[in-house]
Amino acid sequence: MLLVKKKENYVFQFEALNHFQGLTHAIACRNGGFSLPPFDGMNLSLGVGDDPATVTANRKRLRQMTGGGVHLYTRQNHGASMRIITRDAWARGEAIQTEPVPADALITDVPGIRLVIQTADCQAVMLFDPQKRVVANIHCGWRGSVANIIGNVVSCMTSEFDCDPGQMTAAICPSLGPCCAEFLNYKNEIHRSLWPFRVGAHHFDFWRISRHQLVSAGLSDGNVHASGICTRCNPHLFFSYRAAPETGRFATLIGLDVGS
Ligand SMILES: [Zn+2]
């Protein structure tokens, strides 16, 4: 992971994604921005009780930091629904929504769109197929892991865009690590098939679960990159729901550049 200064703020980037021409991605730290405690400072979520005007200013700042483009947010609801934005739909103007659509994954082949996922301990998982030039961004909490939303998105990219999972690169962003992913009630919450990823008595390694689901979907293990950064252990860098339930959400975004 690289820590890069963008104007007044810092973002993390994956070297593996920086290798590709015409691809923009970033993981915004919580530093900078305009929000006051407990949402300080770069809160990108309109759904946590922060002042909407302040969140809008933060979103504008994020756009400026990451080279502009159309930033698409979704109303994430810990489900497994996907929103696909095709070039045809985009050209017809159908894809532009005033209200964010409920979805936990975004997929597109349209240059100039930035797919934005907001998290505070959940994973954002970015996907890129460099041959078909298709990107996806997934919100994956423990419910998403149980539902295998990751596998569903890879399948969707294959069926809708003719992608080859063997060509895809994936990046698992800062999120709750095995150090802090304690599920005391796991026998009722976590499906039995994921119990092999238990660490110690009640902790789970969701990074390994995501890697397993990506490889099971056809990705090469060498093309799966995990940040290895735990949000709960780094509350000065990232919002963490487990560190403080009343908090903001940081953003992970990916998109194709215009002209690429
Ligand atoms: Zn931790």
Side-chain angles (χ1 to χ4, degrees):
M1 294 281 281
L2 299 169
L3 189 59
V4 183
K5 192 166 191 189
K6 298 278 185 184
K7 299 194 184 292
E8 304 304 309
N9 302 61
Y10 286 91
V11 300
F12 277 99
Q13 291 182 324
F14 285 88
E15 284 130 314
L17 292 178
N18 279 344
H19 286 162
F20 296 110
Q21 293 288 319
L23 182 71
T24 291
H25 80 287
I27 303 154
C29 297
R30 69 180 291 181
N31 76 297
F34 305 101
S35 295
L36 301 173
F39 311 107
D40 51 308
M42 188 74 168
N43 167 43
L44 282 316
S45 173
L46 286 164
V48 293
D50 195 0
D51 173 39
T54 307
V55 175
T56 301
N58 288 339
R59 288 183 173 192
K60 186 177 173 191
R61 169 65 61 88
L62 180 68
R63 253 189 102 247
Q64 291 167 341
M65 286 161 51
T66 52
V70 178
H71 283 208
L72 282 189
Y73 290 78
T74 67
R75 199 138 40 80
Q76 302 164 190
N77 53 13
H78 293 277
S81 58
M82 294 172 261
R83 184 174 171 213
I84 303 165
I85 304 108
T86 62
R87 288 179 189 234
D88 286 349
W90 189 251
R92 290 194 299 268
E94 290 171 12
I96 300 172
Q97 307 279 345
T98 48
E99 288 294 316
V101 175
D104 285 279
L106 289 157
I107 308 170
T108 194
D109 62 350
V110 182
I113 293 181
R114 305 284 179 252
L115 309 176
V116 187
I117 292 295
Q118 312 151 65
T119 59
D121 288 345
C122 288
Q123 290 177 19
V125 179
M126 297 183 281
L127 286 167
F128 176 51
D129 180 331
Q131 288 200 330
K132 297 294 177 181
R133 298 202 68 80
V134 179
V135 289
N137 205 352
I138 309 167
H139 169 241
C140 184
W142 66 267
R143 290 181 183 84
S145 296
V146 171
N148 191 14
I149 186 172
I150 288 175
N152 292 347
V153 169
V154 174
S155 295
C156 183
M157 290 171 73
T158 305
S159 61
E160 299 293 323
F161 295 94
D162 201 24
C163 291
D164 175 1
Q167 297 292 329
M168 293 181 193
T169 290
I172 302 167
C173 298
S175 49
L176 204 61
C179 40
C180 296
E182 185 179 38
F183 285 78
L184 293 172
N185 200 25
Y186 78 89
K187 286 184 180 170
N188 294 323
E189 293 174 334
I190 312 283
H191 190 266
R192 184 178 290 270
S193 63
L194 300 183
W195 291 3
F197 299 94
R198 194 157 49 101
V199 189
H202 301 108
H203 288 66
F204 280 79
D205 188 340
F206 283 96
W207 296 337
R208 266 185 60 223
I209 290 173
S210 293
R211 175 178 292 276
H212 171 74
Q213 291 177 338
L214 287 161
V215 171
S216 297
L219 275 81
S220 156
D221 188 65
N223 289 342
V224 178
H225 305 272
S227 76
I229 297 174
C230 172
T231 42
R232 173 71 181 80
C233 288
N234 294 282
H236 56 293
L237 281 174
F238 301 105
F239 296 109
S240 169
Y241 180 82
R242 291 227 179 184
E246 191 175 35
T247 192
R249 300 289 182 272
F250 65 92
T252 298
L253 66 89
I254 187 166
L256 304 166
D257 296 340
V258 173
S260 67

Short mmCIF file of all heavy atoms in Angstrom, two decimals, residues 95-134:
data_model
loop_
_atom_site.label_atom_id
_atom_site.label_comp_id
_atom_site.label_asym_id
_atom_site.label_seq_id
_atom_site.Cartn_x
_atom_site.Cartn_y
_atom_site.Cartn_z
N ALA A 95 -28.91 6.06 -16.24
CA ALA A 95 -28.17 5.66 -15.05
C ALA A 95 -28.02 6.79 -14.04
O ALA A 95 -27.63 6.56 -12.91
CB ALA A 95 -26.80 5.12 -15.44
N ILE A 96 -28.32 7.99 -14.47
CA ILE A 96 -28.17 9.12 -13.55
C ILE A 96 -29.37 9.17 -12.62
O ILE A 96 -30.51 9.26 -13.05
CB ILE A 96 -28.02 10.44 -14.32
CG1 ILE A 96 -26.80 10.38 -15.23
CG2 ILE A 96 -27.93 11.61 -13.36
CD1 ILE A 96 -26.66 11.55 -16.16
N GLN A 97 -29.12 9.09 -11.33
CA GLN A 97 -30.19 9.08 -10.32
C GLN A 97 -29.97 10.24 -9.38
O GLN A 97 -28.85 10.54 -9.00
CB GLN A 97 -30.13 7.77 -9.52
CG GLN A 97 -30.14 6.51 -10.35
CD GLN A 97 -31.53 6.12 -10.80
OE1 GLN A 97 -32.51 6.62 -10.27
NE2 GLN A 97 -31.60 5.25 -11.78
N THR A 98 -31.05 10.87 -8.99
CA THR A 98 -30.90 11.92 -7.99
C THR A 98 -30.72 11.32 -6.60
O THR A 98 -29.98 11.83 -5.78
CB THR A 98 -32.12 12.86 -8.00
OG1 THR A 98 -33.30 12.07 -7.97
CG2 THR A 98 -32.14 13.72 -9.24
N GLU A 99 -31.41 10.20 -6.36
CA GLU A 99 -31.26 9.52 -5.08
C GLU A 99 -30.42 8.26 -5.29
O GLU A 99 -30.63 7.54 -6.26
CB GLU A 99 -32.63 9.09 -4.54
CG GLU A 99 -33.48 10.24 -4.05
CD GLU A 99 -32.89 10.90 -2.82
OE1 GLU A 99 -32.44 10.18 -1.93
OE2 GLU A 99 -32.85 12.15 -2.78
N PRO A 100 -29.48 8.00 -4.40
CA PRO A 100 -28.69 6.77 -4.56
C PRO A 100 -29.59 5.53 -4.53
O PRO A 100 -30.52 5.44 -3.73
CB PRO A 100 -27.76 6.78 -3.35
CG PRO A 100 -27.71 8.20 -2.91
CD PRO A 100 -29.06 8.78 -3.25
N VAL A 101 -29.30 4.60 -5.41
CA VAL A 101 -30.06 3.35 -5.51
C VAL A 101 -29.55 2.39 -4.43
O VAL A 101 -28.35 2.33 -4.18
CB VAL A 101 -29.84 2.74 -6.91
CG1 VAL A 101 -30.50 1.39 -7.03
CG2 VAL A 101 -30.35 3.70 -7.97
N PRO A 102 -30.47 1.64 -3.79
CA PRO A 102 -29.98 0.62 -2.85
C PRO A 102 -29.15 -0.44 -3.58
O PRO A 102 -29.64 -1.04 -4.53
CB PRO A 102 -31.27 0.00 -2.29
CG PRO A 102 -32.35 0.98 -2.59
CD PRO A 102 -31.93 1.69 -3.85
N ALA A 103 -27.95 -0.61 -3.16
CA ALA A 103 -27.06 -1.62 -3.77
C ALA A 103 -25.81 -1.74 -2.91
O ALA A 103 -25.41 -0.77 -2.26
CB ALA A 103 -26.67 -1.21 -5.19
N ASP A 104 -25.21 -2.92 -2.92
CA ASP A 104 -23.97 -3.12 -2.20
C ASP A 104 -22.80 -3.41 -3.12
O ASP A 104 -21.70 -3.69 -2.65
CB ASP A 104 -24.13 -4.23 -1.16
CG ASP A 104 -24.94 -3.72 0.04
OD1 ASP A 104 -24.34 -3.07 0.90
OD2 ASP A 104 -26.16 -3.92 0.06
N ALA A 105 -23.06 -3.32 -4.43
CA ALA A 105 -21.96 -3.45 -5.39
C ALA A 105 -22.29 -2.64 -6.63
O ALA A 105 -23.46 -2.53 -7.01
CB ALA A 105 -21.75 -4.91 -5.77
N LEU A 106 -21.27 -2.06 -7.20
CA LEU A 106 -21.40 -1.27 -8.41
C LEU A 106 -20.45 -1.85 -9.46
O LEU A 106 -19.31 -2.20 -9.13
CB LEU A 106 -21.01 0.19 -8.14
CG LEU A 106 -21.98 1.02 -7.27
CD1 LEU A 106 -21.24 2.19 -6.64
CD2 LEU A 106 -23.13 1.52 -8.12
N ILE A 107 -20.94 -1.94 -10.70
CA ILE A 107 -20.12 -2.48 -11.79
C ILE A 107 -20.31 -1.57 -13.00
O ILE A 107 -21.44 -1.21 -13.34
CB ILE A 107 -20.55 -3.91 -12.17
CG1 ILE A 107 -20.62 -4.82 -10.95
CG2 ILE A 107 -19.61 -4.50 -13.23
CD1 ILE A 107 -21.28 -6.18 -11.20
N THR A 108 -19.22 -1.22 -13.68
CA THR A 108 -19.37 -0.41 -14.88
C THR A 108 -18.20 -0.58 -15.84
O THR A 108 -17.10 -0.97 -15.42
CB THR A 108 -19.53 1.09 -14.53
OG1 THR A 108 -19.98 1.79 -15.69
CG2 THR A 108 -18.22 1.71 -14.08
N ASP A 109 -18.48 -0.26 -17.11
CA ASP A 109 -17.42 -0.16 -18.12
C ASP A 109 -17.40 1.26 -18.70
O ASP A 109 -16.81 1.49 -19.75
CB ASP A 109 -17.62 -1.20 -19.24
CG ASP A 109 -18.93 -1.01 -20.00
OD1 ASP A 109 -19.78 -0.21 -19.56
OD2 ASP A 109 -19.10 -1.68 -21.04
N VAL A 110 -18.05 2.20 -18.01
CA VAL A 110 -18.15 3.57 -18.52
C VAL A 110 -16.99 4.41 -17.99
O VAL A 110 -16.86 4.60 -16.78
CB VAL A 110 -19.49 4.21 -18.09
CG1 VAL A 110 -19.60 5.62 -18.66
CG2 VAL A 110 -20.67 3.35 -18.54
N PRO A 111 -16.15 4.95 -18.89
CA PRO A 111 -15.07 5.84 -18.43
C PRO A 111 -15.64 7.11 -17.82
O PRO A 111 -16.68 7.62 -18.26
CB PRO A 111 -14.30 6.15 -19.72
CG PRO A 111 -14.65 5.05 -20.66
CD PRO A 111 -16.06 4.68 -20.34
N GLY A 112 -14.96 7.61 -16.81
CA GLY A 112 -15.38 8.87 -16.18
C GLY A 112 -16.23 8.69 -14.95
O GLY A 112 -16.45 9.64 -14.21
N ILE A 113 -16.74 7.48 -14.73
CA ILE A 113 -17.53 7.20 -13.52
C ILE A 113 -16.60 6.69 -12.42
O ILE A 113 -15.71 5.88 -12.68
CB ILE A 113 -18.61 6.14 -13.80
CG1 ILE A 113 -19.66 6.69 -14.78
CG2 ILE A 113 -19.29 5.71 -12.51
CD1 ILE A 113 -20.76 5.70 -15.09
N ARG A 114 -16.81 7.18 -11.22
CA ARG A 114 -16.08 6.68 -10.05
C ARG A 114 -17.07 5.95 -9.16
O ARG A 114 -18.05 6.55 -8.70
CB ARG A 114 -15.44 7.83 -9.28
CG ARG A 114 -14.53 8.71 -10.13
CD ARG A 114 -13.20 8.04 -10.39
NE ARG A 114 -12.34 8.85 -11.22
CZ ARG A 114 -12.05 8.56 -12.51
NH1 ARG A 114 -12.58 7.50 -13.10
NH2 ARG A 114 -11.23 9.33 -13.18
N LEU A 115 -16.83 4.68 -8.92
CA LEU A 115 -17.70 3.87 -8.06
C LEU A 115 -17.24 4.04 -6.63
O LEU A 115 -16.10 3.71 -6.30
CB LEU A 115 -17.61 2.40 -8.49
CG LEU A 115 -17.82 2.11 -9.99
CD1 LEU A 115 -17.61 0.63 -10.27
CD2 LEU A 115 -19.20 2.57 -10.43
N VAL A 116 -18.12 4.54 -5.77
CA VAL A 116 -17.73 4.89 -4.40
C VAL A 116 -18.43 3.96 -3.40
O VAL A 116 -19.65 3.82 -3.43
CB VAL A 116 -18.10 6.35 -4.07
CG1 VAL A 116 -17.53 6.73 -2.70
CG2 VAL A 116 -17.59 7.30 -5.14
N ILE A 117 -17.65 3.36 -2.54
CA ILE A 117 -18.18 2.54 -1.44
C ILE A 117 -17.73 3.18 -0.13
O ILE A 117 -16.59 3.59 0.01
CB ILE A 117 -17.67 1.08 -1.55
CG1 ILE A 117 -18.27 0.38 -2.77
CG2 ILE A 117 -17.98 0.31 -0.27
CD1 ILE A 117 -19.77 0.17 -2.74
N GLN A 118 -18.68 3.27 0.81
CA GLN A 118 -18.40 3.89 2.11
C GLN A 118 -18.35 2.81 3.20
O GLN A 118 -19.27 1.98 3.26
CB GLN A 118 -19.50 4.88 2.47
CG GLN A 118 -19.87 5.84 1.37
CD GLN A 118 -21.32 6.27 1.47
OE1 GLN A 118 -21.69 6.92 2.44
NE2 GLN A 118 -22.13 5.89 0.51
N THR A 119 -17.33 2.87 4.01
CA THR A 119 -17.20 1.84 5.04
C THR A 119 -16.64 2.40 6.35
O THR A 119 -16.05 3.49 6.39
CB THR A 119 -16.23 0.72 4.59
OG1 THR A 119 -14.96 1.30 4.31
CG2 THR A 119 -16.74 -0.02 3.37
N ALA A 120 -16.87 1.63 7.41
CA ALA A 120 -16.21 1.85 8.70
C ALA A 120 -16.11 0.47 9.36
O ALA A 120 -16.95 0.11 10.17
CB ALA A 120 -17.00 2.80 9.56
N ASP A 121 -15.18 -0.33 8.93
CA ASP A 121 -14.90 -1.72 9.37
C ASP A 121 -15.28 -2.76 8.31
O ASP A 121 -14.63 -3.79 8.21
CB ASP A 121 -15.57 -2.12 10.68
CG ASP A 121 -14.95 -1.44 11.89
OD1 ASP A 121 -13.83 -0.90 11.76
OD2 ASP A 121 -15.58 -1.45 12.96
N CYS A 122 -16.38 -2.53 7.58
CA CYS A 122 -16.70 -3.45 6.48
C CYS A 122 -15.61 -3.34 5.41
O CYS A 122 -14.83 -2.39 5.38
CB CYS A 122 -18.04 -3.10 5.84
SG CYS A 122 -19.47 -3.48 6.87
N GLN A 123 -15.58 -4.32 4.52
CA GLN A 123 -14.62 -4.28 3.42
C GLN A 123 -15.20 -3.54 2.22
O GLN A 123 -16.38 -3.68 1.91
CB GLN A 123 -14.27 -5.69 2.95
CG GLN A 123 -13.46 -6.50 3.92
CD GLN A 123 -13.21 -7.92 3.42
OE1 GLN A 123 -13.33 -8.21 2.23
NE2 GLN A 123 -12.85 -8.79 4.34
N ALA A 124 -14.34 -2.80 1.54
CA ALA A 124 -14.58 -2.45 0.14
C ALA A 124 -13.62 -3.33 -0.66
O ALA A 124 -12.44 -3.42 -0.34
CB ALA A 124 -14.28 -0.98 -0.12
N VAL A 125 -14.18 -4.02 -1.65
CA VAL A 125 -13.34 -4.88 -2.51
C VAL A 125 -13.47 -4.36 -3.93
O VAL A 125 -14.57 -4.33 -4.50
CB VAL A 125 -13.79 -6.36 -2.43
CG1 VAL A 125 -12.94 -7.22 -3.36
CG2 VAL A 125 -13.70 -6.87 -0.99
N MET A 126 -12.34 -3.93 -4.48
CA MET A 126 -12.31 -3.40 -5.84
C MET A 126 -11.88 -4.49 -6.81
O MET A 126 -11.00 -5.31 -6.49
CB MET A 126 -11.33 -2.23 -5.94
CG MET A 126 -11.70 -1.04 -5.08
SD MET A 126 -10.57 0.37 -5.27
CE MET A 126 -9.18 -0.17 -4.24
N LEU A 127 -12.49 -4.48 -7.99
CA LEU A 127 -12.15 -5.45 -9.03
C LEU A 127 -11.90 -4.72 -10.35
O LEU A 127 -12.57 -3.72 -10.65
CB LEU A 127 -13.31 -6.43 -9.26
CG LEU A 127 -13.53 -7.50 -8.19
CD1 LEU A 127 -14.89 -8.16 -8.40
CD2 LEU A 127 -12.42 -8.54 -8.23
N PHE A 128 -10.95 -5.23 -11.12
CA PHE A 128 -10.66 -4.64 -12.43
C PHE A 128 -10.28 -5.75 -13.40
O PHE A 128 -9.44 -6.59 -13.09
CB PHE A 128 -9.50 -3.64 -12.31
CG PHE A 128 -9.06 -3.03 -13.62
CD1 PHE A 128 -9.99 -2.45 -14.48
CD2 PHE A 128 -7.73 -3.02 -13.99
CE1 PHE A 128 -9.60 -1.88 -15.70
CE2 PHE A 128 -7.31 -2.46 -15.19
CZ PHE A 128 -8.26 -1.89 -16.05
N ASP A 129 -10.94 -5.73 -14.56
CA ASP A 129 -10.54 -6.60 -15.66
C ASP A 129 -9.87 -5.72 -16.72
O ASP A 129 -10.54 -4.95 -17.41
CB ASP A 129 -11.76 -7.31 -16.27
CG ASP A 129 -11.37 -8.24 -17.42
OD1 ASP A 129 -10.36 -7.95 -18.10
OD2 ASP A 129 -12.07 -9.24 -17.65
N PRO A 130 -8.55 -5.82 -16.86
CA PRO A 130 -7.83 -4.91 -17.77
C PRO A 130 -8.09 -5.20 -19.24
O PRO A 130 -7.88 -4.32 -20.08
CB PRO A 130 -6.36 -5.13 -17.41
CG PRO A 130 -6.31 -6.48 -16.79
CD PRO A 130 -7.64 -6.70 -16.14
N GLN A 131 -8.54 -6.42 -19.58
CA GLN A 131 -8.80 -6.72 -20.99
C GLN A 131 -10.16 -6.17 -21.43
O GLN A 131 -10.26 -5.52 -22.47
CB GLN A 131 -8.72 -8.22 -21.23
CG GLN A 131 -7.27 -8.72 -21.16
CD GLN A 131 -7.08 -10.05 -21.84
OE1 GLN A 131 -8.00 -10.86 -21.87
NE2 GLN A 131 -5.88 -10.29 -22.35
N LYS A 132 -11.17 -6.43 -20.65
CA LYS A 132 -12.50 -5.93 -21.00
C LYS A 132 -12.72 -4.51 -20.48
O LYS A 132 -13.72 -3.87 -20.82
CB LYS A 132 -13.58 -6.85 -20.43
CG LYS A 132 -13.56 -8.26 -21.01
CD LYS A 132 -13.91 -8.24 -22.49
CE LYS A 132 -13.82 -9.65 -23.07
NZ LYS A 132 -14.13 -9.66 -24.50
N ARG A 133 -11.82 -4.05 -19.64
CA ARG A 133 -11.90 -2.71 -19.03
C ARG A 133 -13.25 -2.51 -18.33
O ARG A 133 -14.07 -1.67 -18.70
CB ARG A 133 -11.61 -1.62 -20.06
CG ARG A 133 -10.19 -1.74 -20.62
CD ARG A 133 -9.63 -0.46 -21.20
NE ARG A 133 -9.39 0.59 -20.21
CZ ARG A 133 -8.32 0.65 -19.41
NH1 ARG A 133 -7.40 -0.32 -19.43
NH2 ARG A 133 -8.17 1.65 -18.57
N VAL A 134 -13.42 -3.32 -17.31
CA VAL A 134 -14.61 -3.27 -16.45
C VAL A 134 -14.13 -3.15 -15.00
O VAL A 134 -13.19 -3.84 -14.60
CB VAL A 134 -15.48 -4.53 -16.63
CG1 VAL A 134 -16.70 -4.48 -15.71
CG2 VAL A 134 -15.90 -4.69 -18.07
#
